[in-house]
Amino acid sequence: MSMVNYTSCTIQGPNNADFRPQCAITVDGNHMALTWSFCVVPTDAVIFYSSVSKNGYWTENSGSTEGATMLWIYGSRFEQNGFSTVLSTTNTNTVQLVSNYTVYDCEMHNDKVTNTQLTCYTPAMAPGVYQIRAYVNGNLIPLYQYRNPKQATFVPLVSQTPTITGISPQTGPPQTLISLSGNFQTACTSRDTNGCSMDGDPLISRVYMGGHLCNVINPVTNTYVSPNTGSLQGGTTLTINGEDFCNNAQYPVVVNVGGQPCTVLNASLTTIQCQTPVAPVNIASQYHGGRGLYIFRQLGAISQGTLAASSPPYPSVGATQTWSDDAMYVSQSSSDETVWLIGFLRIPQAANFTFILRTNGNGALFLSSNDSPANVIKIADVTNNQSNTELLQGNIDYYLLCVGSRIGGNLVLSVEARMHETTLTATTSRLVLNEIQSISVIATVVAEEQRIVNSTNTSSNGTSEVQSIQVDISTFQIGFRGAYTALLTGQPTTDVVEAALNDLPTIYPLTVTVTATSTLYIITFPPEMGNVPLVTCISTSRNTPVINETVQGVASNTAIAFSLNGMTTDYIDFTTNVTQANLTAEFNKLFSILCPISINNAQATQSIVYLQDFETDCVFDETNIRSNAFCGQCSLTSNTLVTGNTRSGNYLCFAYKILNSYVTQVDVGVYLNGDTTTEYWPSIPFTPIADGVWHYTCIDVFSTLSSQSSTYSSASSLVLNYAALSENIQQGISIDAVTVRTALPIGYEPQSLYPIDQTNISSCVFPFIYNGQSYSACTLGNNGIPICLDRQNNTNQCQSTSIEGTRRLYPKHQLVYNTLQVAYAPRTSTINVSFRYGDCSTPSLIQSLPNTTATSSIVTTASSATSGTFDLVFNGQTYSSIPVNIATSDLAVLLQSSPDFGFLNVTRSRDCTGYLYSIEWIANGGQKSAISISNVAVTPSSATVTASIVQQGGVLYSPLPGDMTRTYNINPQVEVLVGGYPSQCVGNGTCDFQWLISQTPSISSISQNGMTVTITGTGFSTTALENTVLIGSTGSCAVTVASITSITCTIGDAPSGSYSVNVNVRGKGLATNNGNLTINVPLQITSFSPNQGGGGGGYILTVEGTGFSLAATVTIDGNTCVNPQVTNFSSITCTVPATTALNNYQATITVIDRSNTVSASSQFTYNVTNTPNILSTSPNIFTVAGGQWNISGTLFGNGLPTVTIGSTQATVLSSSPTNIIVMLPPLAPGIYAVMILTANGYARPPIQIEYRLYVQQVSPQVGSLYGGTDVYVQGQGFDNTTSVNFVGNNVSVPCTVISFQATQIHCQTTSAAPQVTITSNGVDPVNGAGFAWSPQYATVQVGAVVQWQWGSSTLLSSITYKVQQVSNGYSTTPLMNGFNSGNASASGTFSHQFQTPGTYYYWSTPVDQSGLISLRGVINVVTAQSQTLAVQVTSQSATAQSCIFPFTFNSVNYTSCTTINDTQQWCSPSPIYTGQRLYCTPSTSVPVSSCGVSSVINPNTCSQTVPTTNPLLFLFTPCSVGTVTSISPVQGVAGTAITITGTNFGTNNCENQVFIGSIYQCPITSVSSTQIVCQIGSNSSLDASTIQNISVARDQQGFLINNGLLQFQFQASVTNFSPNQGRLFY
């Protein structure tokens, strides 16, 4: 049994069936646990595993990157109060999904949560492997309380994400049948479907369209309108039948008739009724109808010339007419035909469009500037199928005609459109096009061409080179021409050394022989090689290997190799049939990574039964070849290692480069014992090194599987048919040199041998930078010996090197793709080799080996790199001096420094002779202005830099949808829009409507007899109920008798007065009225109730009668009955007022309706016998906080009364028949009516109380824009809850309250310069949330403080941020004296105050451990602007009142305070005086500054004025405000004198205030206009653990502006201690 070392609590301890956290409390001498105890932890919940399937396996852990995958998390003790059978309803459990750099919240699905399972829906998230972290009651479950953390992960994968590839149609009315195509990962839509019943079966549970559930339906739409004719006066009630006329706030129904609004009376899903408007005066020639276009088709073809003429041909009378929802026609006929698409283009809002004509025949597209066909112009045809940009206005009809013709039929004709303006990007839909523009650097390119002439005519036996190498028994490696053998350990046999040497790519296909005498190895080279350089040797021994040439070789001249910059081809025998293809392959090796032969040469290595080297059809770019490939020039980005192998082999070997740690196993498919009918699919655990560099490994598949199951161990042979790494997330896996083999490669290095690349003193650090390139293993030095660098960048010789180091040979220069050309002329023994280096360096001369066998010469010299700069201009902004070879990342961040660009995807192609940059807008949709290039200064001078548009951005409508088109009609049309979307009208003429004189009734005369009215005219209905008589605009007259020429009706619900009369006849509409025919509706009171009531009033009176309009009021003996409510012109309810009468008496009830008055025939009786009376109240004025109120009177009774202030009930504290004490509630300032309801009724007389909170003036009225001004606000009703702000211009500037009185507040202003907070919560379109500043671009005023805030989840420790100023948008060099937040941290804040206008660039430095991701931002600082703001005082959430001018008092307007009817100056808080007075003169004076020489800011010097005309305004100004430029020292103890330099300081000590932190005021010892010295006192109480901000204020003016953030670190000091001695022992 294996032993596990625990450093925390564990749930894996003994006797722990409940899996509770345990720890050992006693251990033996070997730290073996003896006794255990349960841990006391915040939560003892445990997690066993998770799955995306209910009760599924933990291996079922992958889901959609788009979110909404349900996770099932199984464990115990979730939500402690729950039971496994009772569903949870609260979020006491939460789940997060954590990767290296990101934390996502998983939305809890509480109805399935129990104490043993959690369920949640994943959000949209990037592909990856995410650890599931759960919280119970806010406490994180630690990983040691997981049975196995690897079994609680979620893996969103693109391959597991359902995808929609097509939607048809793309527009349509509600209940349109929509077909979706794509990969939905399942065909199950119901658990009732065969094969879909299990919980683990994936299920398509919901489909949404625009957030609305979409059900599978097949609707039939039958829309028709009745009647289709009506009165010229309008008023015709139309009934529109159809389907899905949804009518709610989100999708309102709108009906138009002939373009005029039809008033909707009611709407249901299938029926709409509306009332037509009056017929328009001007009759149009054409009208738009419902959605879509009409298609006209006729036989016969028309020539292109005729179609594209300035006046287009129109369909003949015999053409067939159909309807189409979109602008597309596809013929199924083989006959010659011509087709028209005709209608209107009508878009919802103004936008620019480009129209595209698509057809397989002749065609032309016409568009009118308005709705008239007479104004059409051709905008596209088959010779130029795209229109110019067309600016279209919203909700305007544009006549559209598209005509196409084709001989032989099968015509396809459509109109597409690209809308330029959009915020959408291509990630939203394939129909959204991102703008792509390019910058092309073009120069004349000449390839390097060299000519090699083979001058060898004779051959000989030659002499073999012999070299000896003396080593000891240490590990050593032999190198030849830069490639090193595998590790040779101890005293290897000659066979081993010989095999190792012959495995070198610099020797193969020739071979050497090795003999030995003790530790002296003798190497004999083949005579073809002639005189060769000495081998090299590295060794772990302290003794340097001794290498000698014992026999100098003489070439036999039977074979030739070619060498270039240390790379060598194979030796080639030109006496054989050498082809041009052979030579091309050989010369290509000069630009390839050469690996040991046994790794990837199947011809030379019999153990290889399957090989994938990915060199066939190899395409590469300028990416460094060391990254591109492990061997050769190319690799494959994939996780699939083997497919289709049919030969037996136990070993799987491959090179890999992995960017993440997601791979955990190799999934394989194997055949056993030659049986190819049964394939087994086991998995082999595999933990790769995920560091983004190449590694090479081999897996013994047979042995590993044999250890898993006897199924494999008993097999006689195994065929590895398939192999793949378990996850390829975000395309993060590259593979190369994949082999299936029967034996391991020569010198295979298992992981247990690593690290191999090292020196004797182990001082190398990896990776290191050498010659500008990063290396993770030893590399060749200039002398051909492997080297590495230490931390001081000193070069050290490696004592051993690995396959990841110099066992492979790397080209010094990279080839430009597809530039290698080899021409071979056998007759003249001439080889012409043409190529170019990717770095545009000048190649060396190709040498022959032996070097006497051929001569080389240069035919043409390769072009050098284009150099220089250019300016890029976009949207009027110039980006200057951009290098022509700028890196793509630098160009991206440079352009992204402007909000005009936003996030970009910048790629680069071609090479250094002239790059082609592609710039794609990936987060800022729509068509963009064209980039232009200026100030080109490049070498060579003939080179050019140009910009062009590759793809214009926008939304592509392919074809034009019905939402944007309308049918063309000559009759007015009934149009229905639901939620702004037009509906379809089915059938020709079914939505026509016409205003006709024949359908218009008329009225000739009216007679009235009391309440009976007789109307004479024509066109009435003989059915009484089909005639509606209207009195004025709101009244009605009930029809009792009707004929075609006469109507009799009884006046019913109508307001009193003289009104016109009209008739609406069903099916026709409103009648015409010949003359001013009116009737009179009388004002009458028929009854009222109750007929008596208490003298205190307060109860409801109901008055019945006729003719009551909404303006009607009621009085009782001239006293207003308040709050009248009128119903149906026949009933009024109101609240009875109190009476002052001392005895019972009768009062008259009167209704006043505008100029009409009527009194009731009977009277109302006031009964005052037991009416409560109010004698006095105290006090009568309160603050808005309310307070205790005493009410004295009589007959209050013994019960608890109800006291109402306005509409708010107060709390009664005590009550007696003569006294009531109440607690008044907090209320806004104003005068409130008081109602006291007792057991004896309402008390009288009516009384009022005042809540008082108002502002009179603010002093001073000017101060520093940056705050710190002492301000006094005067008024009434202030208390300790009162706060002060200055408001206006959409800003609110707090004023910090220093002290308060009831009539005056002393506060200090804060900065009014708009402040900006920038967080790290922005979203990068590639890397996601947390990888962009938000906002990325900020404009601030001089003096503004910008605060950056960043923080990552406590679960993330690998993301760190900082803020560092740089010189431009792509620089990574800190700007000298620029702002800098210090060391990067996972969370923190940083603030900086900007003093000088300009553009400031900053970056975060890399935030991730790989150093690949950084955040950038731009601060644009503009001149500070003054602000005039109004003081706003609030208390108890109520806002203080102030004077309103002008106000009206007793019908007189006042524009200033007045003493009318008062002894003090007063004003009104409302435009109409309501009884409340605000007194204008403050009762408290403003304190005078103790510094007599100080003064307020004078803004006149900046052409600004103090707003003295309004005493409540305050001017925040930067005018004359001084600056603080520096402090010295920046740290110190008590007694330290701090020198502050700046400008515009007061020259007297009392004029200046120096603050350290927000509270401590540093005593000033001396001042001048440019310098202040203050000394920290001994009792300062400054906190030594905190760095404090320094600020300076001038008396009566406020804070000065700081140059950046000036801070001081107070240091604690020890001055003495006592006692200074003590006992040693107690």
Side-chain angles (χ1 to χ4, degrees), residues 397-411:
D397 288 339
Y398 296 91
Y399 181 77
L400 176 75
L401 182 146
C402 180
V403 58
S405 184
R406 192 168 192 264
I407 297 174
N410 298 310
L411 174 68

Side-chain angles (χ1 to χ4, degrees), residues 867-892:
S867 61
T869 63
F870 62 91
D871 292 353
L872 184 151
V873 182
F874 181 72
N875 280 357
Q877 182 172 349
T878 300
Y879 303 81
S880 302
S881 301
I882 300 175
V884 291
N885 60 349
I886 187 172
T888 55
S889 58
D890 289 344
L891 180 58

Side-chain angles (χ1 to χ4, degrees), residues 1230-1471:
I1231 292 179
Y1232 293 88
V1234 178
M1235 299 292 290
I1236 302 174
L1237 177 61
T1238 71
N1240 295 325
Y1242 285 96
R1244 62 176 183 172
I1247 58 172
Q1248 295 177 322
I1249 60 170
E1250 182 179 358
Y1251 278 71
R1252 183 171 289 179
L1253 176 66
Y1254 62 85
V1255 181
Q1256 296 163 321
Q1257 66 181 36
V1258 59
S1259 179
Q1261 287 188 265
V1262 62
S1264 170
L1265 178 69
Y1266 311 112
T1269 306
D1270 287 304
V1271 171
Y1272 294 88
V1273 180
Q1274 295 172 293
Q1276 295 284 335
F1278 304 149
D1279 60 21
N1280 61 353
T1281 67
T1282 303
S1283 62
V1284 180
N1285 289 273
F1286 289 94
V1287 299
N1289 304 326
N1290 296 319
V1291 299
S1292 178
V1293 179
C1295 193
T1296 304
V1297 175
I1298 306 299
S1299 63
F1300 78 92
Q1301 304 172 44
T1303 57
Q1304 181 173 273
I1305 296 175
H1306 173 204
C1307 66
Q1308 192 173 82
T1309 61
T1310 57
S1311 177
Q1315 310 297 295
V1316 174
T1317 298
I1318 299 174
T1319 73
S1320 62
N1321 298 330
V1323 179
D1324 182 280
V1326 175
N1327 300 306
F1331 291 101
W1333 295 116
S1334 177
Q1336 186 179 4
Y1337 315 97
T1339 298
V1340 301
Q1341 296 181 14
V1342 167
V1345 175
V1346 176
Q1347 184 183 70
W1348 287 267
Q1349 300 174 355
W1350 61 89
S1352 56
S1353 168
T1354 55
L1355 299 176
L1356 298 178
S1357 59
S1358 53
I1359 298 291
T1360 58
Y1361 302 86
K1362 69 178 297 182
V1363 178
Q1364 185 179 82
Q1365 186 181 357
V1366 290
S1367 59
N1368 56 49
Y1370 62 93
S1371 174
T1372 58
T1373 303
L1375 191 64
M1376 184 175 294
N1377 299 321
F1379 53 84
N1380 193 321
S1381 64
N1383 294 330
S1385 60
S1387 62
T1389 62
F1390 171 69
S1391 296
H1392 183 79
Q1393 188 174 37
F1394 291 87
Q1395 188 178 15
T1396 306
T1399 301
Y1400 297 79
Y1401 301 93
Y1402 64 93
W1403 79 317
S1404 64
T1405 69
V1407 299
D1408 61 321
Q1409 290 181 337
S1410 64
L1412 300 176
I1413 305 173
S1414 59
L1415 285 63
R1416 290 186 179 267
V1418 182
I1419 305 293
N1420 185 34
V1421 181
V1422 298
T1423 303
Q1425 301 294 316
S1426 63
Q1427 292 208 70
T1428 300
L1429 304 177
V1431 67
Q1432 183 185 74
V1433 174
T1434 58
S1435 181
Q1436 297 284 336
S1437 73
T1439 300
Q1441 296 173 310
S1442 61
C1443 292
I1444 296 293
F1445 297 113
F1447 68 89
T1448 301
F1449 174 66
N1450 287 344
S1451 302
V1452 178
N1453 274 355
Y1454 293 88
T1455 58
S1456 62
C1457 294
T1458 180
T1459 57
I1460 189 74
N1461 289 353
D1462 209 315
T1463 60
Q1464 302 180 59
Q1465 291 274 341
W1466 65 274
C1467 66
S1468 171
S1470 58

Side-chain angles (χ1 to χ4, degrees), residues 548-570:
N548 290 304
E549 180 184 60
T550 58
V551 177
Q552 188 178 74
V554 177
S556 64
N557 293 333
T558 56
I560 304 174
F562 300 99
S563 174
L564 178 64
N565 292 327
M567 301 297 290
T568 306
T569 68
D570 293 349

Side-chain angles (χ1 to χ4, degrees), residues 561-744:
F562 300 99
S563 174
L564 178 64
N565 292 327
M567 301 297 290
T568 306
T569 68
D570 293 349
Y571 280 81
I572 305 166
D573 183 357
F574 280 89
T575 63
T576 62
N577 184 24
V578 176
T579 65
Q580 190 164 287
N582 298 146
L583 290 176
T584 301
E586 286 300 324
F587 278 103
N588 194 53
K589 292 179 181 178
L590 301 177
F591 310 101
S592 303
I593 298 174
L594 303 182
C595 282
I597 303 305
S598 61
I599 282 185
N600 65 334
N601 192 321
Q603 292 179 339
T605 309
Q606 294 183 355
S607 63
I608 296 177
V609 299
Y610 175 92
L611 169 67
Q612 280 285 7
D613 60 7
F614 312 109
E615 296 302 308
T616 303
D617 299 324
C618 171
V619 177
F620 54 87
D621 56 19
E622 61 177 335
T623 305
N624 191 302
I625 193 171
R626 289 173 176 262
S627 177
N628 256 353
F630 184 77
C631 300
Q633 293 172 319
C634 286
S635 59
L636 180 66
T637 300
S638 174
N639 63 324
T640 302
L641 298 167
V642 178
T643 55
N645 174 46
T646 59
R647 299 176 62 189
S648 176
N650 295 347
Y651 295 97
L652 170 65
C653 298
F654 57 95
Y656 66 88
K657 183 179 66 173
I658 296 181
L659 300 177
N660 47 57
S661 56
Y662 303 150
V663 174
T664 58
Q665 62 191 29
V666 179
D667 300 320
V668 298
V670 298
Y671 297 121
L672 302 179
N673 303 321
D675 179 7
T676 59
T677 59
T678 303
E679 189 166 10
Y680 298 86
W681 295 94
S683 295
I684 297 173
F686 176 59
T687 304
I689 303 170
D691 57 2
V693 297
W694 285 105
H695 300 280
Y696 187 77
T697 191
C698 291
I699 299 173
D700 188 341
V701 176
F702 185 77
S703 296
T704 304
L705 295 182
S706 295
S707 66
Q708 293 181 2
S709 170
S710 59
T711 300
Y712 307 108
S713 61
S714 61
S716 60
S717 66
L718 177 146
V719 173
L720 181 62
N721 178 255
Y722 173 86
L725 300 174
S726 56
E727 306 287 356
N728 187 21
I729 298 171
Q730 295 178 319
Q731 298 296 300
I733 300 176
S734 296
I735 57 174
D736 199 2
V738 180
T739 58
V740 177
R741 53 204 308 145
T742 59
L744 292 171

Side-chain angles (χ1 to χ4, degrees), residues 128 137 239 455 565 582 601 610 634 718 799 843 856 871 904 944 1024 1059 1162 1234 1394 1501 1561:
N137 294 316
T239 299
S455 57
N565 292 327
N582 298 146
N601 192 321
Y610 175 92
C634 286
L718 177 146
Q799 66 177 8
S856 301
D871 292 353
L904 303 172
T944 61
Y1059 295 96
S1162 59
V1234 178
F1394 291 87
T1501 58
Q1561 190 170 335

